[in-house]
Amino acid sequence: MAQTLIEKILAKAAGRTRVQKGEIVFVSPHRILSHDNSAAISKIFKQIGAPAVWDPKRIIIALDHAVPPPDERKALNHKIIREFVQEHNIEHFYDCGTGICHQVLPENGHVIPGTIIFGADSHTTTHGAFGAAGIPIGRTETASVWAIGKTWLKVPETIKIILTGHLKKGVYAKDVILFLIGQIGASGANYKSVEFSGDTVSRMSISERMTLCNLSAEMGAKAGMVAFDETARDWLDKRVQEDYEPLSADDNAEYEKTFEYNLEELGPQVACPHKVDNVRSIIDLPHTNIDVALLGTCTNGRLDDLKIAAKIMEGKSVAPSVRFLVYPASRSVLQDALRLGYIEKLVAAGAQLAVPSCGPCLGAYGGILAPEENCISTANRNFKGRMGCKQDTGIYLASPSTVAHSALAGHITDGARR
Amino acid sequence: MKLEGRVWIFKNDDINTDLIYPGKYTYEPLSPKEQASHAMEDYDPDFSQEIKKHDIIVTGNNFGCGSSREQAVTCLKHAGIEAIIASSFARLFYRNAINSAFAIVECPRLVESLFEKIEKTGSTRTDFLISIDLSKGRIFSESREFSFPSWDEQAVQIFKSGGLVEFTKQILRGMPS
């Protein structure tokens, strides 16, 4: 019987030729990632009492959440992780400042198509951009995989999303995925795998595909993937040292649902407080003043995102009422953006440039909102209190272009005159 | 295995992990008691003071959506919550709960019947009593009986072992050294 992409990946990871929907399989990941939560995971790993980690080459740790640590407790948390890394010879450890785990892994060639990437972070779905199944798991489960190298998964149903048409000027992958989340809903892909396809997706860069797959987590997806193609090959061949075997869905594979959208008329989208599926076209939004504009995160902190914003902001100034925060997704992104002059333009316009990290996205520290403040953000969640303060705050999610235009104007806008 | 308790109704869908356990505490090594004191802080600030041991939460669709943070499960467990009955759970919350041997039950019909009794959305402490028979897949509530589907076999094994830490220890003991 014909199989979907996730079925093929799970079968391969389980050492089988095929799997059935609904079946439980034990699978081994190609890589397993974790971040600042690695200290807590190491504590559980000690409770389990395994003599050694399963494979020090496949366990990857990148410190990205509380970076650099703002207080003693968080600094100690990092210290515990460094000691664990030493003790267990974890080969690939990326200390503070390298970048966000979902950016650092592919940049360093750790993600290959046709495999499973487990991650102790809900946005592990990002790795679907490379035709891999990025599957998020919790801390205890990560500790268990560190010990025994495998865990169980139920073979999920797959939703196919076909996207067609050229996007209008000023409309980006972020607008596309916000639109889809609005259509499909916050639980629309719960427990399911999502395959993105169609000519719109084929034209997208790796960075844009990462945005798409990253946010499939906000539909509840177990994995969100784009099939491997020449675009992925070009990107990976510059970074990956090992051989890989891409997999693709069979033409007549069975999907639970298929959604098809022509995106030629789509305009810029905004996810309004306090749910990611509360999505509106920007033209339907009432006048909304903002206090903070955030450009960055694993969703939209890459070179093309900074480029879009820099182009919009060149020679202009951020509105006096706005704090404009820029968090590149990695050191490599920051270096490229410096070399290409994007950072110069953003800082000249009034940006507060920060160390590559998750930053204020989850309110751990830095860029926290005050009561009654609004933020326009390129991040991935707008839950109440997400950016550290719940008292009458509002987080609006949008593309880097909309964030840049809004930072200049002081209110939410895509820059178009209407 | 039977569980019994008084009901809290959270009459909302999509109650996310930031509402259950705010992100600002996620990377602090907090004790179980400290974790419990922040449970549901951004949803119902009085919840952690008013909760009684063995209370059961009844809520809508997609409970626990958002982050992979396991404290969303453990803060409720440490606070004394006996079980959560929801119309549905987000995938990560579901797995984290099983891995922590915390009872979660999907039973949309029961949720609907209790939601009808409460006008307001949000959090309400009630005097309704519920009992859950986990092995038989039965819930008894207000003289009505509901059934719910059993978990996947693997989930049952992990839950019965007392959680994934214990289950992994068993696997390790069986592995050639």
Side-chain angles (χ1 to χ4, degrees), chain A residues 46-365:
Chain A
K46 284 192 183 103
Q47 275 174 35
I48 291 171
V53 295
W54 147 70
D55 189 341
K57 287 188 186 66
R58 294 186 188 276
I59 296 169
I60 302 187
I61 299 175
L63 300 186
D64 58 11
H65 274 55
V67 170
D71 58 42
E72 188 182 330
R73 277 182 115 155
K74 293 192 177 81
L76 175 62
N77 190 55
H78 286 170
K79 187 168 180 232
I80 294 167
I81 296 167
R82 287 187 197 100
E83 285 165 1
F84 181 87
V85 164
Q86 283 269 315
E87 189 188 335
H88 291 275
N89 300 312
I90 303 299
E91 206 165 294
H92 304 290
F93 170 64
Y94 298 99
D95 212 325
C96 299
T98 319
I100 305 172
C101 58
H102 305 308
Q103 186 66 22
V104 167
L105 253 74
E107 268 178 5
N108 287 280
H110 298 310
V111 180
I112 58 173
T115 63
I116 294 176
I117 309 291
F118 279 138
D121 186 275
S122 54
H123 291 108
T124 303
T125 53
T126 311
H127 307 288
F130 308 94
I135 302 181
I137 56 176
R139 293 177 179 185
T140 300
E141 194 150 16
T142 303
S144 176
V145 175
W146 282 5
I148 60 175
K150 59 184 177 181
T151 193
W152 66 286
L153 291 175
K154 191 172 179 171
V155 180
E157 294 280 356
T158 301
I159 296 177
K160 187 174 191 173
I161 301 179
I162 304 167
L163 305 174
T164 59
H166 284 269
L167 299 179
K168 282 198 288 200
K169 193 171 177 288
V171 179
Y172 299 89
K174 180 63 164 284
D175 300 300
V176 172
I177 187 68
L178 288 178
F179 168 74
L180 292 174
I181 295 167
Q183 294 291 309
I184 293 167
S187 62
N190 200 9
Y191 302 108
K192 300 184 172 86
S193 177
V194 174
E195 285 178 21
F196 296 101
S197 60
D199 61 87
T200 316
V201 180
S202 301
R203 277 188 299 273
M204 283 184 182
S205 68
I206 283 295
S207 172
E208 291 170 310
R209 295 174 188 189
M210 287 172 82
T211 303
L212 217 57
C213 296
N214 173 281
L215 274 173
S216 59
E218 305 311 318
M219 309 179 207
K222 183 174 199 157
M225 292 183 276
V226 175
F228 176 83
D229 63 2
E230 286 306 311
T231 305
R233 186 193 303 280
D234 288 348
W235 200 95
L236 290 167
D237 284 356
K238 292 186 197 102
R239 296 164 176 93
V240 173
Q241 305 294 326
E242 60 193 310
D243 292 336
Y244 57 83
E245 184 198 351
L247 298 172
S248 56
D250 293 323
D251 287 341
N252 49 348
E254 198 181 294
Y255 294 93
E256 189 199 48
K257 281 181 200 151
T258 300
F259 296 99
E260 191 164 353
Y261 297 98
N262 181 289
L263 300 170
E264 275 169 6
E265 294 304 315
L266 185 77
Q269 306 285 305
V270 180
C272 300
H274 300 285
K275 288 183 175 185
V276 187
D277 60 0
N278 184 17
V279 177
R280 291 198 205 178
S281 280
I282 206 162
I283 51 169
D284 297 331
L285 206 67
H287 184 91
T288 308
N289 287 327
I290 54 154
D291 305 280
V292 173
L294 168 62
L295 174 64
T297 77
C298 57
T299 311
N300 277 123
R302 283 175 283 278
L303 193 63
D304 56 334
D305 301 317
L306 302 182
K307 180 183 179 178
I308 290 163
K311 207 172 158 197
I312 292 164
M313 303 186 101
E314 182 172 9
K316 301 193 173 111
S317 293
V318 168
S321 57
V322 173
R323 286 105 66 194
F324 178 44
L325 313 176
V326 177
Y327 283 72
S330 71
R331 178 182 291 136
S332 166
V333 167
L334 173 58
Q335 285 176 311
D336 287 344
L338 278 165
R339 189 167 45 79
L340 293 163
Y342 306 155
I343 297 295
E344 170 67 35
K345 287 171 188 148
L346 293 170
V347 171
Q352 302 177 35
L353 179 69
V355 170
S357 64
C358 305
C361 172
L362 76 161
Y365 94 102

Side-chain angles (χ1 to χ4, degrees), chain A residues 24 26 35-37 44 47-51 65 71 73-74 77 120-122 135-141 144 147-148 150-154 186-187 190-191 218 220 222 274-275 277 362-364 381 383-386 388 390, chain B residues 13-14 16-19 22-24 26-31 34 41-43 45 61-62 65-71 88-92 94-96 98-100 106 152-155 158 164-165 167-169 171-172 175:
Chain A
I24 303 286
F26 272 83
H35 42 65
D36 295 41
N37 52 16
I44 305 167
Q47 275 174 35
I48 291 171
H65 274 55
D71 58 42
R73 277 182 115 155
K74 293 192 177 81
N77 190 55
D121 186 275
S122 54
I135 302 181
I137 56 176
R139 293 177 179 185
T140 300
E141 194 150 16
S144 176
I148 60 175
K150 59 184 177 181
T151 193
W152 66 286
L153 291 175
K154 191 172 179 171
S187 62
N190 200 9
Y191 302 108
E218 305 311 318
K222 183 174 199 157
H274 300 285
K275 288 183 175 185
D277 60 0
L362 76 161
R381 291 202 175 114
F383 300 159
K384 199 173 182 183
R386 172 85 178 170
K390 65 158 186 171
Chain B
D13 291 329
D14 305 319
N16 64 62
T17 48
D18 279 84
L19 295 175
K24 59 189 167 198
T26 309
Y27 300 97
E28 307 247 339
L30 300 188
S31 69
E34 288 171 303
E41 189 171 284
D42 283 355
Y43 181 70
N61 273 308
N62 203 25
C65 62
S67 158
S68 63
R69 72 188 62 146
E70 213 157 285
Q71 298 100 318
S88 68
F89 291 93
R91 175 187 163 266
L92 275 164
Y94 177 93
R95 281 185 91 88
N96 284 337
I98 297 294
N99 290 340
S100 305
E106 290 189 335
D152 295 317
E153 180 50 33
Q154 194 57 45
I158 292 168
L164 188 62
V165 168
F167 183 78
T168 308
K169 282 183 186 172
I171 292 184
L172 275 174
M175 273 165 82

